[in-house]
Amino acid sequence: MTTSTSPLLSARGVRIVFPGRHGAPDARAVDGVHLDIRPGEIVALVGESGCGKTTLARALLGLVEPTAGRITFDGRPLEYSGRSLKAYRKRVQLVLQDPSGSLNPRHTVYDAVAEGLRIHGHGGDERAVVADALSRAGLRPPERFFLRRPHELSGGQRQRVVIAGALVLEPELLVADEPVASLDASVRGEILALLLRLRAELGLSALVVTHDLGLAWNIADRVAVMYLGRIVETGPVEQVLTAPRHPYTRALLSVLPEAPGEPVVLTGEPPDPSRVPSGCRFHARCQVLAGGGADRAGVAEACRGRDPEILDGGGATQVACHWAHAGKG
Amino acid sequence: MSLLDVRGLTVTYAGGTAAVRGVDLRLEAGRKLGIAGESGCGKSTLALALLRLLPAGTRVGGEVLLDGEDVLAMKWGRLRAVRWAGASIVFQGAMHSLNPVRRVGDQIAEPVLLHRRATPAGARKRTGELLEQVGLPAARAAAYPHELSGGQRQRVMIAMALACDPRLIIADEPTTALDVMVQAQILRLIERLVADQDVGLIMISHDLAVLAGTCDRLAVMYAGRVVEEGPAGDVYEAARHPYARALSAALPRIGDPASRFAPRGLPGDPPDPAALPSGCTFRPRCPVALDSCAEEEPLLGDAGADRRVACVRVTAENPTAGGPAPRPDTAAGGADPRHGTAAGGTDPPPNTATEEPNPHQATTTDDSDPRHGAATAAPDPRRSTTAGEPNPHRTPTTDEPSPRHGTAAGGTAPRRGTAAGGPGAPEETRPSTP
């Protein structure tokens, strides 16, 4: 989309380290990430469980203070005092994965949506604002939903209530963590269409955290593939998902049921952030290195010994892979 | 004889919610059948009903023939022998199905000790073999569930299901909540085990793409019934029933420009099993519904080679569905031939011979939203019974034998009236045609 405008939200060199307990090594959950989100842009942050994507999203919301690095919003660095965080969270809203867990079962829909307004001391016509947010989220007529409680709603309707609660403060950015993972396939498309419509109507930016590459294809402008605390490939969705260069992205795409060709099923478990391998962090599971491709390209030494540089987070297609840089990817 | 032959299976929870309303399935050894559908469509209830794992008070009708023997008519002792050894279930959510305070090795050994009457040493040996079969080192037997990752726990669940060499494995959402890469690992494992051991597999999932990639045949369920059934690839690539089409279209195909910035869903929500709409249960959400769809619920009818669809538009198009043409049994087994007859019996509307699902009913009627009709025609919503599914892994010994109801009604395909019927019409009181 807009490649020239300055980013709305920007992460620079963000590292988040959780201290190890009982003498265990520290967990480097996020290990050096640059990421920009521009106004009106939808970015998908994709990766397996444990790759640090949720930790990064929490840091972008100001819920975790990075160990190192900086997060800026609208040009100003994020401050971690209670007052400035409160102001920040009016502009950046979170949508969580499981709508049943993020709604208070004893609150009515009206209360759930109005909660943000009350916290932020909204002075105007609360009822009208809540009704507006509900109808924007596709719950029409809104009055019919005011007094319902979560258990009376379907999963898709609950997620719409959560989204309405996020919209009510007129944020500029939504951070959605697996927004449709707990929903049925038929409902999933409706919620994703809603996110796209909100972008079109309100110019809302969004960071969508997901393990679902199909979701990225459905709604995102740009995708960032994360592996073990680092973004390993990023760029426009069309390029990254149809012509992936990083062996990890290729493997992820190859195991989708729809994918052509032989699936590359990586062996082993998702790796442990407290034991990040030296060299390229993916080298121990890399099918290209194991298959001799890196040797033939003359980069096997680098794969085992040298950490690829951190990608700069901008809109261009980039890949953190010695083999891809050697012109083979 | 088929490994599994399900005939006219109905499940009604205490409180009157009809979760499964007449399902016929057949599965041969070494074959894989996928059952797809949204939450609440009855697919998990179906899985539990196959082994009579439903809570007491649930009425189950029809027949479940496992190697020719009706599971629903078995004596309690025989049923206990058949569970695990005849058929076993891999449940969804491995974290909740494993006992958190017992080592996984002991949990795998439990069915071996009980059903095989193995010695403790023999059970330990078997446990080690099973773990290696599912790709875990035998030493992991000493681990507690929390020490394992999600994928490893799912492997333990599969090892447990294999413990007594069952003939049939039922896998209920075996890969939901797993990452794509781990999901691919587990699916490969399941495929390999089915091929090596010549067992039958029933895999239940909401993900049509996963099922199409793994299974030979697919059955799509909606509101307690199978609405489309056929070879997996055909159903996924070219579904005929409007619901199956929507379900298939809702899955994004990466690289397909048509789905770029165009997520597709299906408006509306699945019907409440306690208050089903009249006629075709999919009608309120159906983009191509006809007026006549409100009157009678279509039954599965022939729709081309080896396929069956429960939609008047499809069966009306298909010339073979016109007459009562019970099909001979097919390789992987299809639905009961009775369905062919039943579909022939319903008169197709005279003006539905068009090729395309052209919504020409719009010209014949300016009747407004069909949803209204559904809302008023539906029986008064009784409180939806929760009938929480028990955790059968911890309860197989305490699970009481559910009294067998509706045996006599097993021969009749339940009609619409029954399914949506009022509380005063319990199934076993209806006249039966054996």
Side-chain angles (χ1 to χ4, degrees):
Chain A
M1 295 212 31
T2 50
T3 41
S4 54
T5 46
S6 62
L8 180 67
L9 181 71
S10 171
R12 282 284 161 269
V14 168
R15 284 175 203 276
I16 299 165
V17 179
F18 295 115
R21 280 181 295 181
H22 311 299
D26 292 352
R28 288 144 66 187
V30 179
D31 198 25
V33 165
H34 302 322
L35 180 67
D36 289 346
I37 302 164
R38 288 181 286 270
E41 193 180 35
I42 298 181
V43 177
L45 183 62
V46 177
E48 290 174 277
S49 346
C51 75
K53 58 189 194 297
T54 296
T55 308
L56 176 62
R58 287 169 57 86
L60 296 177
L61 284 160
L63 293 168
V64 182
E65 196 170 342
T67 317
R70 199 169 57 140
I71 292 163
T72 54
F73 184 77
D74 209 4
R76 277 203 296 278
L78 205 57
E79 290 167 34
Y80 291 89
S81 72
R83 178 183 304 227
S84 47
L85 276 180
K86 187 174 168 186
Y88 176 62
R89 289 184 187 143
K90 201 174 159 183
R91 304 174 71 184
V92 178
Q93 284 283 324
L94 173 65
V95 175
L96 280 171
Q97 171 176 5
D98 177 16
S100 322
S102 43
L103 287 172
N104 185 331
R106 309 182 63 151
H107 280 184
T108 61
V109 166
Y110 184 91
D111 290 331
V113 176
E115 189 177 11
L117 292 174
R118 291 171 187 163
I119 288 170
H120 288 277
H122 179 78
D125 183 354
E126 185 182 278
R127 202 182 152 84
V129 175
V130 170
D132 185 53
L134 282 172
S135 49
R136 276 199 189 288
L139 295 172
R140 298 192 197 93
E143 291 77 15
R144 239 182 62 203
F145 291 91
F146 275 178
L147 296 178
R148 303 261 195 106
R149 283 172 211 274
H151 72 91
E152 298 171 277
L153 304 174
S154 68
Q157 287 174 331
R158 280 183 218 149
Q159 191 63 301
R160 287 175 192 273
V161 172
V162 172
I163 292 173
L167 291 178
V168 76
L169 289 165
E170 300 180 358
E172 289 150 75
L173 174 73
L174 277 188
V175 176
D177 190 355
E178 298 280 14
V180 293
S182 61
L183 302 178
D184 275 316
S186 65
V187 183
R188 176 186 179 281
E190 301 280 298
I191 297 290
L192 294 181
L194 169 65
L195 291 179
L196 277 179
R197 202 172 64 236
L198 293 173
R199 188 255 293 267
E201 286 173 5
L202 310 171
L204 207 59
S205 314
L207 176 73
V208 182
V209 178
T210 182
H211 69 272
D212 180 355
L213 292 161
L215 186 159
W217 180 261
N218 266 166
I219 64 165
D221 303 304
R222 218 147 52 78
V223 61
V225 180
M226 203 163 169
Y227 183 81
L228 202 49
R230 197 65 77 74
I231 289 172
V232 295
E233 183 161 9
T234 176
V237 166
E238 286 88 351
Q239 281 184 28
V240 174
L241 296 190
T242 56
R245 296 176 67 203
H246 198 286
Y248 179 62
T249 319
R250 291 183 169 196
L252 282 183
L253 283 162
S254 78
V255 297
L256 297 181
E258 276 292 297
E262 188 60 20
V264 180
V265 180
L266 299 176
T267 51
E269 293 294 315
D272 179 353
S274 62
R275 281 188 293 265
V276 178
S278 62
C280 169
R281 57 196 61 222
F282 183 60
H283 85 257
R285 294 175 85 195
C286 180
Q287 73 274 22
V288 171
L289 181 63
D295 260 323
R296 284 192 291 279
V299 294
E301 200 67 14
C303 292
R304 295 198 181 89
R306 191 156 54 82
D307 198 4
E309 275 174 40
I310 295 179
L311 304 179
D312 79 6
T317 314
Q318 302 162 68
V319 57
C321 173
H322 299 301
W323 175 71
H325 285 303
K328 307 289 176 185
Chain B
M1 184 170 50
S2 307
L3 170 61
L4 178 74
D5 193 352
V6 177
R7 296 186 186 164
L9 183 71
T10 61
V11 178
T12 309
Y13 281 114
T17 304
V20 177
R21 305 181 299 122
V23 166
D24 301 88
L25 297 169
R26 188 170 301 170
L27 180 71
E28 310 294 333
R31 304 305 294 260
K32 295 166 283 185
L33 169 70
I35 300 180
E38 290 174 282
S39 357
C41 75
K43 56 192 196 302
S44 292
T45 301
L46 173 69
L48 296 173
L50 296 183
L51 283 181
R52 277 171 58 187
L53 291 167
L54 291 160
T58 309
R59 294 200 306 274
V60 182
E63 288 177 305
V64 177
L65 301 178
L66 186 66
D67 275 330
E69 197 179 354
D70 188 357
V71 175
L72 299 183
M74 279 176 190
K75 290 242 167 52
W76 186 234
R78 176 71 191 135
L79 177 66
R80 278 189 47 111
V82 163
R83 288 180 182 170
W84 293 108
S88 61
I89 303 195
V90 180
F91 289 98
Q92 56 181 321
M95 192 63 210
H96 305 292
S97 303
L98 290 170
N99 187 332
V101 297
R102 293 187 61 204
R103 298 180 193 274
V104 295
D106 296 344
Q107 300 188 53
I108 298 172
E110 187 176 297
V112 182
L113 286 167
L114 283 173
H115 288 272
R116 288 283 188 84
R117 304 186 189 271
T119 59
R124 258 200 307 282
K125 183 161 165 285
R126 175 81 180 133
T127 302
E129 287 168 12
L130 286 164
L131 283 173
E132 274 166 11
Q133 247 177 25
V134 298
L136 287 175
R140 294 307 263 166
Y144 287 97
H146 73 91
E147 297 175 292
L148 302 176
S149 70
Q152 289 173 331
R153 284 198 285 263
Q154 199 60 53
R155 286 172 193 267
V156 169
M157 293 295 293
I158 294 171
M160 203 185 281
L162 294 172
C164 299
D165 294 317
R167 304 260 295 129
L168 169 69
I169 295 178
I170 302 161
D172 188 3
E173 304 268 11
T175 61
T176 305
L178 297 179
D179 279 316
V180 279
M181 197 54 73
V182 183
Q183 168 173 303
Q185 292 170 355
I186 297 288
L187 291 177
R188 292 209 136 188
L189 170 68
I190 291 177
E191 279 185 63
R192 182 170 58 78
L193 293 171
V194 169
D196 289 355
Q197 310 194 356
D198 204 36
V199 298
L201 173 74
I202 292 185
M203 192 156 122
I204 295 172
S205 176
H206 67 277
D207 191 334
L208 212 53
V210 162
L211 293 178
T214 309
C215 298
D216 310 309
R217 288 185 80 81
L218 262 182
V220 178
M221 279 185 77
Y222 190 79
R225 287 224 171 146
V226 174
V227 295
E228 175 151 9
E229 196 269 327
D234 294 354
V235 174
Y236 179 56
E237 298 293 339
R240 307 281 309 272
H241 192 280
Y243 174 67
R245 272 211 300 268
L247 207 57
S248 171
L251 297 161
R253 277 122 165 118
I254 291 176
D256 173 16
S259 60
R260 182 79 178 116
F261 289 126
R264 266 169 291 184
L266 181 64
D269 290 303
D272 179 356
L276 293 174
S278 69
C280 174
T281 48
F282 184 59
R283 180 179 49 86
R285 299 170 81 189
C286 183
V288 294
L290 301 167
D291 284 349
S292 59
C293 293
E295 285 152 25
E296 187 156 10
E297 183 165 11
L299 295 170
L300 276 177
D302 282 350
D306 206 13
R307 297 178 65 174
R308 276 164 207 81
V309 174
C311 176
V312 290
R313 279 190 173 275
V314 176
T315 43
E317 274 171 36
N318 197 322
T320 61
R327 294 174 53 88
D329 295 345
T330 46
D336 193 293
R338 265 175 289 141
H339 274 318
T341 327
T346 59
D347 341 336
N351 60 344
T352 52
T354 51
E355 289 284 324
E356 289 300 304
N358 180 352
H360 56 96
Q361 83 274 23
T363 57
T364 60
T365 171
D366 30 344
D367 203 351
S368 57
D369 195 350
R371 260 159 264 215
H372 284 303
T376 50
D380 54 329
R382 279 163 272 124
R383 68 199 153 75
S384 86
T385 50
T386 53
E389 291 163 1
N391 181 341
H393 256 294
R394 302 208 194 125
T395 54
T397 49
T398 57
D399 185 18
E400 34 189 301
S402 41
R404 177 123 194 284
H405 285 283
T407 326
T412 48
R415 302 240 160 250
R416 177 177 63 80
T418 327
E427 231 169 279
E428 57 266 59
T429 61
R430 291 190 302 118
S432 63
T433 45

